[in-house]
Amino acid sequence: MKDYANIKNQIYSGVLGKLIGVYLGRPIEGWSYRDIQRQFGTIQYYVHTQLGLPLIVADDDISGTFGFFRALEDHEYSEKLSAAQIGEAWLNYIIEDKTILWWGGRGRSTEHTAYLNLKQGIEAPRSGSVAINGQSVAEQIGAQIFIEAFAMCFPGDPERAVALVRKAASVSHDGLAVDAACHLAAMDALAFEYSDLKTIFKEAERFISDPRLRKLRDDVIELCNKNDGWRKTREDLDQMYGYQLYPGSCHVAPNHAMVLASILHGGDDFQVSVSIAASAGWDTDCNAGNVGAFNGIRLGLAGIDRGADLRREVADRMYVITSDGGSAVTDAVAQANHIFHAACKLNHWPHQEQEASRFSFPYQGSLQGFTKCPDVKAPSWVCEVVPTTANQTGIEIRCCGLGQGLLAAASTPTFIETDDHQSNYLSTASPALYETQTIRAKLYTDHALKHKTAVQLYIVFDGLDGRQLLFSPKTALAGGEEWIMWNIPKLGGRAILRVGIAVSSEQRFDGSVRLIEMDWAGAPAEFIQNGIFMSDIWDTNPKQLQMWTSSAKQFAADSTHMLCVSHPEWNGLATIGTLDWTDYTAAATIVFGAAKAAGMVLRCKGHRQYYAAAFSNGNAYIILMSHGSRKVLAQAACKLEPDSKHYVSFSCCGSMLTLKMDDSALLHAEDSTFSRGGCGFLVDCGTILVDDISIYASRKKQNEKEEQR
């Protein structure tokens, strides 16, 4: 009988290992081996602060790994998932020139080349083939950097892991690159069952089909056995497989070789293995990410925790930057749970379908982004945020010398932090939390607590004068387990950046408050954006619009209207909201310009999966957009005059969809394809101007949810 709890922990360790490796290697990506050695020697810990960089940034290794993985959910976890269907996920979740990929141009960036092929109707696997793109493009590194989430769906089953990864890798790559990705997938799957490297390498060898990769593997093993240290192996590999021997900017051969060498020289020391990969040059974040994921699975949390504390500063945090902007701010726990859920579906394992709270800290040492809040000023010794002990769940807010005039506060991000926009990859996103939503938190304090201690939920939001804090009323702690709730007031359509919990005391308090779980759900009771955001003609991207995720070529503030949405091609979207939004209404005043089609969208799951209320050619339509194809669910005659202004309302409640114009019902449709997702605007080949946006939850559904909770 399988140990599902252990498998779940191994998946989490694999995800965490991936993050640690990427964050170690990312700041020095593109540096030469000699420059890394000269400035840092060996990268044993994060060096971002020394270079003036944020730790948590948008990165293709992370966004691609966990973004493309969503193809499985989108196709109901079918093991028959095809390369073409994964390619469709690329089109759905990638925003051209903005997200996930290195947009280096056709014939230079392998992934960019594949994306353009997909966009032009060349389906995978032809989109990534040597026949279409040429060998030098097809055999760059990218295939192996996106594989871990797919591979971890089949613990101990390398055959099935390799079969799925081969399809995923072939969307963009071919030849040696696909074979290398499959080799690592086999190693990842085997790492769930074996800890011995010799056994894993031997078993994984049978999944190598390209003789070039077999020779590379054999050469690496020989060098690692012969050389006393990794630096000599790195020098030897440079002579045998260095960049100078291959076409393109980032060939798979030297990087795959360095991944294997880092694993072998690192042995059972997680920190040493990822340090080697990050210090060795070539593609430092990709290689360290691959090594970290493999050894995270193989060695588990105990292995990761053997060396320096590489977890606390990361705190599980990551960005998955896709067209589903509301899911951008996420963490290792959430992504590990997604992978485990997929594994249960694919392997027909027993699995409880009920979803846990978004913050429940189920893995030992998990923090889910919670750290000492940077926006609450207090002496460093007042507050420490730490994981609980092995027999407890949650996180502890440890207070030392807390008293009047001081707060101990812990918070987690709900939106992209300003400093984290400093990245080679654009960090387009939407907040995870909105005004008028209700936060629920479960706390625990010692029953023996005698102090006059209280807690408050709070948010950090993007106010008119910069970052501002807003606190709930104080709740006195009675001791034991207790729930607190807070309905966030209206904020004028501003972005919520962080959510947290603050502890205060009228007397000196040296002790802990444990946060067991925290959650919110459903669309906001009311979210409104209105007025003119543009302060001058150059102010086209004010902060209120940065909450929206746009694949439209132009999404900007306007001098006479709130915003403009313009797109020269088919299917330009600007969306806001999260996958928590189920039953709600979105409404706005729209000036319809010269567009082939335009209107509103609901329940968006990316930018090629949604419901649309669209106006085109003298008709109004309710449309289902699924996997790149549009289906008309309802239509009626509705001729719009050029530059006419109308108040449009589009609602979803259960399977019912309702379109109103100027407060009159226009169309109804019924469909159950999508049950959740954000909303926004759609433009095909043209422009609309928008004012007075309002989003509000279905009152009936909202009341039902509150009663259930």
Side-chain angles (χ1 to χ4, degrees):
M1 184 176 179
K2 286 190 174 294
D3 186 347
Y4 300 114
N6 189 54
I7 289 172
K8 196 173 182 180
N9 278 314
Q10 286 179 286
I11 291 173
Y12 170 66
S13 300
V15 174
L16 189 59
K18 174 88 172 182
L19 298 184
I20 291 170
V22 170
Y23 298 150
L24 278 173
R26 179 62 195 274
I28 38 83
E29 182 182 23
W31 288 38
S32 72
Y33 171 60
R34 297 302 175 194
D35 284 345
I36 296 170
Q37 188 177 12
R38 187 179 301 111
Q39 183 156 344
F40 297 110
T42 302
I43 307 289
Q44 295 178 311
Y45 198 74
Y46 309 111
V47 299
H48 61 288
T49 55
Q50 300 174 54
L51 301 174
L53 299 171
L55 178 64
I56 313 301
V57 296
D59 188 272
D60 57 341
D61 300 73
I62 296 170
S63 293
T65 297
F66 302 102
F68 300 149
F69 177 74
R70 293 180 62 177
L72 272 169
E73 179 187 349
D74 293 346
H75 291 277
E76 300 180 343
Y77 303 100
S78 171
E79 195 170 347
K80 296 179 180 179
L81 182 72
S82 67
Q85 288 171 324
I86 301 173
E88 171 56 34
W90 278 52
L91 292 173
N92 183 44
Y93 292 113
I94 290 172
I95 299 179
E96 188 171 4
D97 296 327
K98 289 185 179 181
T99 65
I100 297 184
L101 308 182
W102 170 47
W103 298 98
R106 180 182 283 280
R108 182 166 176 251
S109 164
T110 303
E111 294 82 9
H112 192 174
T113 302
Y115 176 84
L116 292 174
N117 290 339
L118 292 167
K119 186 179 175 182
Q120 293 169 7
I122 301 173
E123 290 189 343
R126 292 187 66 240
S127 55
S129 67
V130 168
I132 297 292
N133 302 327
Q135 186 172 1
S136 65
V137 171
E139 294 191 335
Q140 301 300 303
I141 189 179
Q144 71 181 37
I145 75 176
F146 301 146
I147 59 101
E148 285 91 4
F150 289 111
M152 286 191 283
C153 286
F154 297 106
D157 192 343
E159 285 82 6
R160 295 167 74 199
V162 167
L164 181 57
V165 164
R166 185 172 298 280
K167 289 183 283 191
S170 67
V171 173
S172 52
H173 291 74
D174 199 359
L176 187 67
V178 171
D179 217 40
C182 291
H183 183 222
L184 288 183
M187 292 177 63
D188 287 344
L190 289 162
F192 284 92
E193 296 286 338
Y194 304 102
S195 60
D196 179 64
L197 288 175
K198 187 175 181 180
T199 302
I200 293 174
F201 270 69
K202 181 180 179 181
E203 290 294 318
E205 183 183 7
R206 57 194 174 93
F207 297 98
I208 298 175
S209 56
D210 193 314
R212 294 174 295 167
L213 185 63
R214 189 176 301 276
K215 183 178 185 308
L216 181 151
R217 170 196 172 275
D218 292 345
D219 287 341
V220 170
I221 292 173
E222 182 180 352
L223 290 172
C224 291
N225 288 334
K226 180 179 70 174
N227 295 328
D228 291 333
W230 71 267
R231 291 195 182 277
K232 180 62 169 67
T233 297
R234 170 52 173 85
E235 293 172 3
D236 292 342
L237 287 174
D238 187 53
Q239 297 297 313
M240 301 167 67
Y241 296 102
Y243 275 171
Q244 69 276 8
L245 302 175
Y246 297 95
S249 57
C250 194
H251 200 272
V252 68
N255 291 295
H256 193 79
M258 202 63 235
V259 167
L260 300 182
S262 300
I263 290 169
L264 290 171
H265 276 296
D268 291 341
D269 193 314
F270 177 91
Q271 184 179 8
V272 169
S273 66
V274 292
S275 296
I276 294 170
S279 306
W282 294 325
D283 205 329
T284 50
D285 60 336
C286 298
N287 296 344
N290 284 142
V291 172
F294 169 76
N295 272 338
I297 299 167
R298 183 174 71 95
L299 303 173
L301 291 177
I304 295 176
D305 292 338
R306 267 185 59 192
D309 188 349
L310 295 166
R311 298 177 62 185
R312 188 78 61 88
E313 193 162 1
V314 172
D316 294 321
R317 294 172 295 167
M318 70 168 97
Y319 298 142
V320 179
I321 307 298
T322 70
S323 60
D324 177 19
S327 300
V329 178
T330 183
D331 57 70
V333 170
Q335 297 307 313
N337 288 345
H338 291 326
I339 296 169
F340 181 70
H341 180 79
C344 290
K345 291 285 190 180
L346 289 163
N347 296 287
H348 308 290
W349 295 342
H351 180 50
Q352 190 173 352
E353 293 290 339
Q354 185 178 354
E355 294 184 5
S357 295
R358 91 182 43 239
F359 302 113
S360 59
F361 318 103
Y363 304 100
Q364 185 59 42
S366 59
L367 292 168
Q368 294 195 256
F370 277 88
T371 60
K372 181 181 176 181
C373 185
D375 296 277
V376 176
K377 305 305 179 186
S380 60
W381 40 263
V382 167
C383 176
E384 185 183 15
V385 181
V386 298
T388 57
T389 57
N391 60 345
Q392 297 176 329
T393 59
I395 59 169
E396 286 189 8
I397 304 168
R398 290 182 181 172
C399 307
C400 179
L402 185 66
Q404 294 186 31
L406 294 174
L407 284 177
S411 65
T412 190
T414 54
F415 192 37
I416 299 284
E417 300 282 1
T418 303
D419 290 344
D420 295 344
H421 284 279
Q422 303 173 28
S423 171
N424 293 331
Y425 300 92
L426 293 180
S427 301
T428 182
S430 297
L433 177 64
Y434 293 80
E435 59 192 78
T436 72
Q437 290 190 303
T438 300
I439 306 170
R440 302 169 73 251
K442 186 179 183 181
L443 306 174
Y444 176 85
T445 51
D446 195 312
H447 286 279
L449 187 65
K450 303 296 184 182
H451 304 277
K452 294 182 178 179
T453 307
V455 296
Q456 295 169 279
L457 296 171
Y458 72 96
I459 57 170
V460 181
F461 69 100
D462 200 357
L464 292 173
D465 300 319
R467 299 169 73 97
Q468 297 181 22
L469 285 84
L470 183 65
F471 292 84
S472 73
K474 289 185 178 182
T475 299
L477 294 173
E481 288 188 359
E482 50 195 306
W483 285 93
I484 59 173
M485 298 177 63
W486 182 40
N487 185 33
I488 303 171
K490 294 181 181 179
L491 304 172
R494 314 294 294 195
I496 297 175
L497 307 175
R498 303 183 72 86
V499 63
I501 184 165
V503 185
S504 60
S505 183
E506 295 182 14
Q507 305 172 14
R508 181 179 176 112
F509 175 54
D510 299 298
S512 295
V513 175
R514 177 154 55 97
L515 174 62
I516 298 173
E517 58 183 281
M518 179 185 288
D519 202 6
W520 58 87
E526 188 175 45
F527 175 82
I528 294 174
Q529 287 190 327
N530 54 27
I532 303 298
F533 294 156
M534 181 182 282
S535 59
D536 58 62
I537 62 171
W538 309 113
D539 186 23
T540 61
N541 189 32
K543 289 185 176 181
Q544 295 95 324
L545 296 196
Q546 294 173 23
M547 301 168 62
W548 293 73
T549 300
S550 176
S551 57
K553 293 294 183 182
Q554 296 293 326
F555 178 74
D558 186 78
S559 59
T560 58
H561 297 270
M562 191 173 77
L563 60 88
C564 165
V565 188
S566 181
H567 195 61
E569 302 174 348
W570 175 78
N571 203 56
L573 268 69
T575 58
I576 195 169
T578 76
L579 292 176
D580 296 320
W581 295 14
T582 52
D583 300 290
Y584 62 93
T585 296
T589 300
I590 301 176
V591 178
F592 291 89
K596 185 175 181 181
M600 304 187 74
V601 292
L602 295 177
R603 291 181 176 169
C604 296
K605 197 177 182 185
H607 280 192
R608 285 165 63 97
Q609 298 188 93
Y610 54 76
Y611 294 113
F615 299 86
S616 176
N617 297 323
N619 289 291
Y621 302 90
I622 294 180
I623 294 168
L624 166 66
M625 175 74 158
S626 180
H627 304 305
S629 298
R630 289 178 180 173
K631 176 184 178 183
V632 175
L633 301 176
Q635 72 178 81
C638 183
K639 185 173 177 61
L640 301 182
E641 297 298 325
D643 298 320
S644 60
K645 180 188 294 186
H646 297 276
Y647 183 72
V648 179
S649 168
F650 192 25
S651 303
C652 52
C653 187
S655 61
M656 295 302 301
L657 304 163
T658 303
L659 169 62
K660 294 181 180 180
M661 176 176 279
D662 301 323
D663 294 322
S664 297
L666 188 58
L667 280 176
H668 298 277
E670 188 170 3
D671 188 84
S672 57
T673 303
F674 302 127
S675 61
R676 58 198 177 101
C679 61
F681 302 97
L682 163 71
V683 176
D684 289 346
C685 305
T687 298
I688 58 172
L689 299 165
V690 179
D691 291 296
D692 302 324
I693 297 170
S694 60
I695 302 163
Y696 48 94
S698 165
R699 301 292 188 256
K700 179 181 177 182
K701 292 290 183 178
Q702 191 74 14
N703 292 337
E704 290 175 355
K705 287 177 181 176
E706 290 300 323
E707 289 175 4
Q708 290 171 0
R709 298 180 73 87

